[in-house]
Amino acid sequence: MNQETKPPQGFVIFDVEREFTYPEGKLTSAWKRLQRRETFTKGQIFPYQVEFVASSQEGEFLPGELNIHHGPLLSVHGRIGRVEENYRGLDYFYGSYVISFRLVRPVELEFFREGNKLKLKLRSYVKPWFIPFWRFGNFLLWSSFRFSL
């Protein structure tokens, strides 16, 4: 984790974890798309955008690469962490937020490939009263994610 190990005052750590099962052979293709910049830079719904500090907005991620996903009520900027055969991490910087810096502060996004499953874990600092809304929003967001790969 790239930030302090305990949440700021008034926040709690909340992890969103999702798991997607793929038919045999499909996971390899999905995993390869998940490791490429253009999967995130192309096809974003305006006015949202993903940008990378890299020589190209296409190609495979490199550890340490900077990026930002931004738009209305969203500014999550960070650095690609470890990139391995079955794992990729993204550490978000202090100041990243969803909706408001006072409600949700993403900390880390991880992807895991295990057998025929793709797993993700999004760790955030969230105001306790906002957790039901955050949980529901993530359910909607990540439910369509499987089909976008």
Side-chain angles (χ1 to χ4, degrees):
M1 188 182 323
N2 68 330
Q3 297 181 16
E4 62 273 8
T5 56
K6 64 181 202 173
Q9 185 175 2
F11 286 79
V12 296
I13 295 172
F14 185 77
D15 292 337
V16 171
E17 297 186 49
R18 292 295 303 264
E19 182 177 289
F20 307 97
T21 302
Y22 286 82
E24 192 171 325
K26 296 284 185 180
L27 180 58
T28 299
S29 174
W31 185 258
K32 284 181 181 178
R33 284 193 301 278
L34 187 61
Q35 305 308 318
R36 300 189 62 80
R37 293 180 205 110
E38 61 268 24
T39 301
F40 301 93
T41 58
K42 295 184 178 180
Q44 289 289 313
I45 297 170
F46 180 83
Y48 295 93
Q49 188 172 0
V50 178
E51 299 175 32
F52 293 91
V53 178
S55 59
S56 174
Q57 296 300 294
E58 297 183 3
E60 293 184 0
F61 294 120
L62 298 172
E65 195 169 280
L66 302 177
N67 66 77
I68 183 169
H69 191 167
H70 59 91
L73 306 175
L74 176 71
S75 181
V76 287
H77 38 285
R79 175 180 24 245
I80 300 293
R82 293 186 349 250
V83 178
E84 300 172 357
E85 183 179 351
N86 295 310
Y87 173 84
R88 178 168 62 80
L90 171 58
D91 297 319
Y92 292 117
F93 295 136
Y94 181 80
S96 291
Y97 68 88
V98 178
I99 310 224
S100 167
F101 190 65
R102 295 178 180 206
L103 292 176
V104 179
R105 301 178 186 185
V107 176
E108 181 178 39
L109 177 62
E110 298 175 286
F111 292 98
F112 308 86
R113 180 171 63 169
E114 298 175 2
N116 66 334
K117 295 180 181 178
L118 173 64
K119 297 180 180 183
L120 71 87
K121 179 179 174 184
L122 172 62
R123 172 161 286 179
S124 302
Y125 299 145
V126 183
K127 288 287 188 170
W129 68 267
F130 195 72
I131 288 174
F133 303 102
W134 183 238
R135 181 183 292 122
F136 181 70
N138 274 279
F139 173 79
L140 293 177
L141 172 70
W142 297 114
S143 292
S144 64
F145 181 76
R146 177 185 192 275
F147 302 106
S148 67
L149 294 178

